[in-house]
Short mmCIF file of all heavy atoms in Angstrom, two decimals:
data_model
loop_
_atom_site.label_atom_id
_atom_site.label_comp_id
_atom_site.label_asym_id
_atom_site.label_seq_id
_atom_site.Cartn_x
_atom_site.Cartn_y
_atom_site.Cartn_z
N THR A 1 11.04 7.17 9.53
CA THR A 1 9.73 7.65 10.15
C THR A 1 10.10 9.03 10.57
O THR A 1 11.12 9.31 11.20
CB THR A 1 9.52 6.74 11.39
OG1 THR A 1 9.37 5.36 11.01
CG2 THR A 1 8.19 7.16 12.03
N ALA A 2 9.11 9.88 10.31
CA ALA A 2 9.22 11.35 10.68
C ALA A 2 8.09 11.75 11.64
O ALA A 2 6.93 11.34 11.30
CB ALA A 2 9.23 12.20 9.32
N PHE A 3 8.38 12.54 12.55
CA PHE A 3 7.49 13.01 13.64
C PHE A 3 7.35 14.56 13.52
O PHE A 3 8.30 15.17 13.02
CB PHE A 3 7.79 12.53 14.96
CG PHE A 3 7.74 11.05 15.16
CD1 PHE A 3 8.90 10.27 14.93
CD2 PHE A 3 6.58 10.32 15.66
CE1 PHE A 3 8.88 8.88 15.08
CE2 PHE A 3 6.51 8.98 15.78
CZ PHE A 3 7.65 8.22 15.48
N ASP A 4 6.26 15.11 14.09
CA ASP A 4 6.03 16.46 14.34
C ASP A 4 6.30 17.30 13.05
O ASP A 4 5.70 17.05 12.04
CB ASP A 4 7.04 16.99 15.49
CG ASP A 4 6.77 16.20 16.81
OD1 ASP A 4 5.54 15.96 17.02
OD2 ASP A 4 7.71 15.91 17.54
N HIS A 5 7.28 18.37 13.19
CA HIS A 5 7.44 19.21 12.04
C HIS A 5 8.09 18.49 10.81
O HIS A 5 7.82 18.82 9.79
CB HIS A 5 8.31 20.49 12.48
CG HIS A 5 9.64 20.11 12.81
ND1 HIS A 5 9.99 19.68 14.06
CD2 HIS A 5 10.85 20.24 12.11
CE1 HIS A 5 11.22 19.47 14.05
NE2 HIS A 5 11.85 19.76 12.97
N ASN A 6 8.90 17.54 11.08
CA ASN A 6 9.50 16.72 10.00
C ASN A 6 8.42 16.00 9.32
O ASN A 6 8.47 15.93 8.04
CB ASN A 6 10.53 15.72 10.51
CG ASN A 6 11.85 16.33 10.77
OD1 ASN A 6 12.23 17.39 10.26
ND2 ASN A 6 12.69 15.82 11.72
N ALA A 7 7.46 15.48 9.93
CA ALA A 7 6.26 14.78 9.26
C ALA A 7 5.53 15.77 8.47
O ALA A 7 5.16 15.42 7.27
CB ALA A 7 5.39 14.11 10.28
N LYS A 8 5.19 16.94 8.88
CA LYS A 8 4.46 17.88 8.15
C LYS A 8 5.28 18.31 6.95
O LYS A 8 4.71 18.47 5.83
CB LYS A 8 4.12 19.14 9.06
CG LYS A 8 3.18 18.78 10.08
CD LYS A 8 2.92 19.98 11.03
CE LYS A 8 2.01 19.51 12.10
NZ LYS A 8 1.83 20.57 13.17
N PHE A 9 6.65 18.51 7.05
CA PHE A 9 7.50 18.99 5.91
C PHE A 9 7.45 17.83 4.92
O PHE A 9 7.33 18.16 3.78
CB PHE A 9 8.87 19.19 6.49
CG PHE A 9 9.85 19.61 5.49
CD1 PHE A 9 10.05 20.88 5.16
CD2 PHE A 9 10.77 18.57 4.87
CE1 PHE A 9 10.92 21.25 4.22
CE2 PHE A 9 11.53 18.94 3.87
CZ PHE A 9 11.74 20.35 3.51
N ALA A 10 7.69 16.62 5.33
CA ALA A 10 7.76 15.48 4.34
C ALA A 10 6.39 15.35 3.61
O ALA A 10 6.38 15.07 2.37
CB ALA A 10 8.02 14.20 5.06
N MET A 11 5.28 15.43 4.44
CA MET A 11 4.04 15.32 3.74
C MET A 11 3.70 16.42 2.70
O MET A 11 3.19 16.24 1.67
CB MET A 11 2.88 15.27 4.80
CG MET A 11 2.90 14.09 5.56
SD MET A 11 2.65 12.59 4.62
CE MET A 11 1.26 12.82 3.68
N GLN A 12 4.26 17.57 3.03
CA GLN A 12 4.02 18.84 2.12
C GLN A 12 4.92 18.75 0.81
O GLN A 12 4.47 19.13 -0.17
CB GLN A 12 4.14 20.15 2.91
CG GLN A 12 3.81 21.31 2.04
CD GLN A 12 3.73 22.59 2.99
OE1 GLN A 12 4.09 22.59 4.13
NE2 GLN A 12 3.35 23.57 2.31
N TYR A 13 6.18 18.29 1.03
CA TYR A 13 7.13 18.60 -0.02
C TYR A 13 7.68 17.30 -0.69
O TYR A 13 8.16 17.33 -1.75
CB TYR A 13 8.23 19.52 0.41
CG TYR A 13 7.86 20.94 0.85
CD1 TYR A 13 7.83 21.28 2.14
CD2 TYR A 13 7.31 21.73 -0.14
CE1 TYR A 13 7.41 22.68 2.49
CE2 TYR A 13 6.80 22.96 0.24
CZ TYR A 13 6.98 23.39 1.57
OH TYR A 13 6.55 24.60 1.83
N PHE A 14 7.81 16.16 -0.04
CA PHE A 14 8.36 15.07 -0.46
C PHE A 14 7.45 14.28 -1.46
O PHE A 14 6.29 14.03 -1.09
CB PHE A 14 8.85 14.12 0.61
CG PHE A 14 10.16 14.60 1.32
CD1 PHE A 14 10.72 15.81 1.09
CD2 PHE A 14 10.76 13.61 2.19
CE1 PHE A 14 11.92 16.14 1.61
CE2 PHE A 14 12.00 14.06 2.81
CZ PHE A 14 12.54 15.22 2.46
N ARG A 15 7.90 13.78 -2.60
CA ARG A 15 7.22 13.11 -3.59
C ARG A 15 8.18 11.92 -4.04
O ARG A 15 9.31 12.05 -4.18
CB ARG A 15 6.80 13.97 -4.70
CG ARG A 15 5.79 14.92 -4.32
CD ARG A 15 4.44 14.37 -3.82
NE ARG A 15 3.57 15.38 -3.33
CZ ARG A 15 3.33 15.44 -2.13
NH1 ARG A 15 3.94 14.83 -1.11
NH2 ARG A 15 2.37 16.33 -1.52
N LYS A 16 7.52 10.84 -4.52
CA LYS A 16 8.21 9.76 -5.02
C LYS A 16 9.24 10.16 -6.07
O LYS A 16 8.91 11.02 -6.91
CB LYS A 16 7.13 8.82 -5.62
CG LYS A 16 7.65 7.56 -6.32
CD LYS A 16 6.74 6.70 -7.00
CE LYS A 16 7.31 5.56 -7.76
NZ LYS A 16 6.28 4.69 -8.32
N GLY A 17 10.33 9.51 -6.05
CA GLY A 17 11.41 9.81 -7.00
C GLY A 17 12.33 10.99 -6.70
O GLY A 17 13.40 11.02 -7.19
N MET A 18 11.90 11.77 -5.68
CA MET A 18 12.82 12.99 -5.25
C MET A 18 14.10 12.39 -4.53
O MET A 18 14.07 11.41 -3.92
CB MET A 18 12.08 13.82 -4.29
CG MET A 18 11.02 14.74 -4.89
SD MET A 18 10.17 15.76 -3.71
CE MET A 18 11.51 16.88 -3.28
N ARG A 19 15.16 13.12 -4.88
CA ARG A 19 16.42 12.82 -4.06
C ARG A 19 16.39 13.64 -2.81
O ARG A 19 16.24 14.87 -2.84
CB ARG A 19 17.57 13.13 -4.93
CG ARG A 19 18.88 12.54 -4.47
CD ARG A 19 19.98 12.56 -5.65
NE ARG A 19 21.18 12.20 -5.01
CZ ARG A 19 22.19 13.12 -4.83
NH1 ARG A 19 22.10 14.32 -5.24
NH2 ARG A 19 23.33 12.73 -4.40
N VAL A 20 16.52 12.92 -1.67
CA VAL A 20 16.41 13.64 -0.30
C VAL A 20 17.61 13.25 0.57
O VAL A 20 18.23 12.20 0.31
CB VAL A 20 15.14 13.33 0.39
CG1 VAL A 20 13.95 13.86 -0.52
CG2 VAL A 20 14.98 11.85 0.64
N GLY A 21 17.81 14.08 1.49
CA GLY A 21 18.80 13.87 2.51
C GLY A 21 18.09 13.68 3.83
O GLY A 21 17.14 14.41 4.14
N VAL A 22 18.41 12.64 4.58
CA VAL A 22 17.82 12.36 5.91
C VAL A 22 18.99 12.17 6.89
O VAL A 22 19.84 11.40 6.73
CB VAL A 22 17.00 11.07 5.79
CG1 VAL A 22 16.39 10.73 7.17
CG2 VAL A 22 15.98 11.14 4.70
N GLN A 23 18.78 12.90 8.00
CA GLN A 23 19.68 12.71 9.24
C GLN A 23 18.84 12.28 10.26
O GLN A 23 17.66 12.70 10.51
CB GLN A 23 20.36 13.99 9.62
CG GLN A 23 21.31 14.54 8.59
CD GLN A 23 22.06 15.74 9.01
OE1 GLN A 23 21.42 16.51 9.72
NE2 GLN A 23 23.17 16.03 8.49
N GLY A 24 19.27 11.34 11.19
CA GLY A 24 18.55 10.88 12.25
C GLY A 24 19.25 9.77 13.02
O GLY A 24 20.39 9.72 13.14
N MET A 25 18.46 8.95 13.72
CA MET A 25 18.96 7.93 14.63
C MET A 25 18.50 6.52 14.05
O MET A 25 17.38 6.38 13.59
CB MET A 25 18.41 8.10 15.97
CG MET A 25 18.67 9.37 16.57
SD MET A 25 18.13 9.55 18.35
CE MET A 25 16.46 9.11 18.21
N LEU A 26 19.36 5.62 14.11
CA LEU A 26 19.02 4.19 13.79
C LEU A 26 18.14 3.57 14.90
O LEU A 26 18.48 3.75 16.03
CB LEU A 26 20.32 3.36 13.52
CG LEU A 26 20.16 2.14 12.79
CD1 LEU A 26 19.69 2.38 11.37
CD2 LEU A 26 21.46 1.45 12.73
N HIS A 27 17.10 2.95 14.44
CA HIS A 27 16.20 2.27 15.39
C HIS A 27 16.05 0.84 14.93
O HIS A 27 15.82 0.57 13.71
CB HIS A 27 14.87 2.92 15.31
CG HIS A 27 13.85 2.29 16.23
ND1 HIS A 27 13.80 2.53 17.56
CD2 HIS A 27 12.81 1.48 15.95
CE1 HIS A 27 12.83 1.80 18.08
NE2 HIS A 27 12.23 1.20 17.09
N SER A 28 16.18 -0.10 15.76
CA SER A 28 16.08 -1.56 15.47
C SER A 28 15.16 -2.26 16.49
O SER A 28 15.04 -1.74 17.65
CB SER A 28 17.41 -2.28 15.49
OG SER A 28 18.07 -2.29 16.72
N THR A 29 14.60 -3.28 15.92
CA THR A 29 13.64 -4.18 16.75
C THR A 29 14.11 -5.54 16.65
O THR A 29 14.92 -5.96 15.90
CB THR A 29 12.24 -3.97 16.40
OG1 THR A 29 12.10 -4.33 15.04
CG2 THR A 29 11.75 -2.55 16.64
N VAL A 30 13.57 -6.37 17.45
CA VAL A 30 13.81 -7.86 17.40
C VAL A 30 12.47 -8.55 17.09
O VAL A 30 11.45 -8.36 17.68
CB VAL A 30 14.39 -8.38 18.71
CG1 VAL A 30 14.66 -9.87 18.54
CG2 VAL A 30 15.70 -7.65 19.17
N LYS A 31 12.53 -9.31 16.03
CA LYS A 31 11.34 -10.16 15.62
C LYS A 31 11.69 -11.52 15.28
O LYS A 31 12.76 -11.92 14.91
CB LYS A 31 10.68 -9.47 14.40
CG LYS A 31 10.17 -8.02 14.62
CD LYS A 31 9.41 -7.53 13.42
CE LYS A 31 8.89 -6.13 13.77
NZ LYS A 31 8.08 -5.63 12.71
N LYS A 32 10.71 -12.44 15.49
CA LYS A 32 10.75 -13.78 15.08
C LYS A 32 10.11 -14.09 13.74
O LYS A 32 8.99 -13.64 13.58
CB LYS A 32 10.16 -14.74 16.18
CG LYS A 32 11.02 -14.74 17.41
CD LYS A 32 12.16 -15.70 17.29
CE LYS A 32 12.73 -15.87 18.70
NZ LYS A 32 13.89 -16.65 18.75
N THR A 33 10.72 -14.69 12.84
CA THR A 33 10.00 -15.02 11.62
C THR A 33 9.14 -16.24 11.73
O THR A 33 9.25 -16.90 12.79
CB THR A 33 10.99 -15.25 10.47
OG1 THR A 33 11.72 -16.47 10.79
CG2 THR A 33 12.06 -14.18 10.28
N LYS A 34 8.33 -16.54 10.77
CA LYS A 34 7.46 -17.73 10.78
C LYS A 34 8.30 -18.97 10.93
O LYS A 34 7.91 -20.06 11.52
CB LYS A 34 6.60 -17.85 9.51
CG LYS A 34 5.53 -16.74 9.49
CD LYS A 34 4.71 -16.85 8.30
CE LYS A 34 3.62 -15.77 8.24
NZ LYS A 34 2.84 -15.83 7.09
N SER A 35 9.54 -18.96 10.34
CA SER A 35 10.38 -20.14 10.41
C SER A 35 11.16 -20.17 11.79
O SER A 35 11.96 -21.15 11.94
CB SER A 35 11.37 -20.14 9.24
OG SER A 35 12.18 -19.04 9.29
N GLY A 36 11.00 -19.23 12.59
CA GLY A 36 11.60 -19.27 13.98
C GLY A 36 12.97 -18.52 14.04
O GLY A 36 13.57 -18.48 15.07
N ASP A 37 13.40 -17.96 12.80
CA ASP A 37 14.67 -17.16 12.87
C ASP A 37 14.44 -15.88 13.59
O ASP A 37 13.25 -15.33 13.57
CB ASP A 37 15.11 -17.01 11.50
CG ASP A 37 15.49 -18.27 10.76
OD1 ASP A 37 15.87 -19.25 11.50
OD2 ASP A 37 15.34 -18.25 9.52
N THR A 38 15.49 -15.29 14.19
CA THR A 38 15.43 -13.99 14.73
C THR A 38 16.05 -12.97 13.66
O THR A 38 17.09 -13.23 13.16
CB THR A 38 16.24 -13.95 16.09
OG1 THR A 38 15.73 -14.94 16.97
CG2 THR A 38 16.16 -12.57 16.71
N VAL A 39 15.30 -11.96 13.51
CA VAL A 39 15.80 -10.86 12.71
C VAL A 39 15.81 -9.57 13.40
O VAL A 39 15.02 -9.32 14.31
CB VAL A 39 14.84 -10.73 11.35
CG1 VAL A 39 15.14 -12.05 10.50
CG2 VAL A 39 13.42 -10.51 11.60
N TYR A 40 16.54 -8.66 12.82
CA TYR A 40 16.66 -7.36 13.59
C TYR A 40 16.41 -6.23 12.44
O TYR A 40 17.40 -5.60 11.92
CB TYR A 40 18.11 -7.20 14.09
CG TYR A 40 18.39 -8.27 15.04
CD1 TYR A 40 19.16 -9.35 14.68
CD2 TYR A 40 18.18 -7.98 16.39
CE1 TYR A 40 19.43 -10.35 15.63
CE2 TYR A 40 18.39 -8.99 17.32
CZ TYR A 40 19.04 -10.25 16.86
OH TYR A 40 19.39 -11.24 17.90
N PRO A 41 15.25 -5.94 12.14
CA PRO A 41 14.84 -4.94 11.17
C PRO A 41 15.21 -3.56 11.75
O PRO A 41 15.14 -3.29 12.86
CB PRO A 41 13.30 -5.09 10.95
CG PRO A 41 12.80 -5.83 12.03
CD PRO A 41 13.93 -6.67 12.64
N VAL A 42 15.76 -2.71 10.83
CA VAL A 42 16.12 -1.37 11.28
C VAL A 42 15.40 -0.32 10.37
O VAL A 42 14.82 -0.60 9.25
CB VAL A 42 17.71 -1.19 10.99
CG1 VAL A 42 18.47 -2.10 11.90
CG2 VAL A 42 18.04 -1.37 9.56
N SER A 43 15.21 0.95 10.97
CA SER A 43 14.65 2.05 10.33
C SER A 43 15.43 3.18 10.82
O SER A 43 16.16 3.23 11.87
CB SER A 43 13.12 2.10 10.54
OG SER A 43 12.95 2.25 11.98
N VAL A 44 15.21 4.45 10.25
CA VAL A 44 15.71 5.64 10.65
C VAL A 44 14.59 6.56 11.23
O VAL A 44 13.64 6.69 10.55
CB VAL A 44 16.54 6.34 9.53
CG1 VAL A 44 16.96 7.70 9.98
CG2 VAL A 44 17.64 5.55 9.05
N THR A 45 14.76 7.00 12.38
CA THR A 45 13.87 8.05 13.00
C THR A 45 14.51 9.36 12.62
O THR A 45 15.61 9.65 13.10
CB THR A 45 13.62 7.89 14.49
OG1 THR A 45 13.14 6.47 14.70
CG2 THR A 45 12.78 8.89 15.04
N THR A 46 13.81 10.21 11.87
CA THR A 46 14.34 11.42 11.39
C THR A 46 14.57 12.46 12.32
O THR A 46 13.81 12.62 13.28
CB THR A 46 13.64 11.93 10.11
OG1 THR A 46 12.39 12.48 10.69
CG2 THR A 46 13.44 10.90 9.10
N LYS A 47 15.59 13.19 12.21
CA LYS A 47 15.91 14.52 13.04
C LYS A 47 15.85 15.71 12.13
O LYS A 47 15.42 16.71 12.41
CB LYS A 47 17.33 14.38 13.71
CG LYS A 47 17.27 13.40 14.92
CD LYS A 47 16.61 14.01 16.09
CE LYS A 47 16.82 13.15 17.23
NZ LYS A 47 16.01 13.51 18.37
N GLN A 48 16.40 15.44 10.81
CA GLN A 48 16.42 16.62 9.86
C GLN A 48 16.15 16.08 8.52
O GLN A 48 16.72 15.01 8.14
CB GLN A 48 17.75 17.38 9.99
CG GLN A 48 17.90 18.45 8.97
CD GLN A 48 19.14 19.28 9.13
OE1 GLN A 48 19.82 19.15 10.14
NE2 GLN A 48 19.44 20.02 8.15
#
């Protein structure tokens, strides 16, 4: 996920298939599945 200037940059220049470098912070949440299991999905919040 990219915010502010990173979002504008990604929208303007990034396209499917491009090789990119991403620096940022790992973000995780806690969710329950339909079967009752607990999962911890992760994503990267971009800094550069």
Side-chain angles (χ1 to χ4, degrees):
T1 305
F3 295 91
D4 301 323
H5 67 279
N6 280 334
K8 291 176 185 172
F9 179 85
M11 289 304 302
Q12 185 171 5
Y13 297 115
F14 281 10
R15 294 293 173 259
K16 178 182 178 178
M18 288 178 70
R19 193 164 172 250
V20 298
V22 176
Q23 293 178 336
M25 301 181 311
L26 194 63
H27 176 77
S28 67
T29 57
V30 179
K31 293 186 178 181
K32 292 275 187 184
T33 64
K34 291 180 182 179
S35 62
D37 296 330
T38 302
V39 294
Y40 302 91
V42 297
S43 64
V44 173
T45 301
T46 67
K47 289 283 189 188
Q48 182 175 343

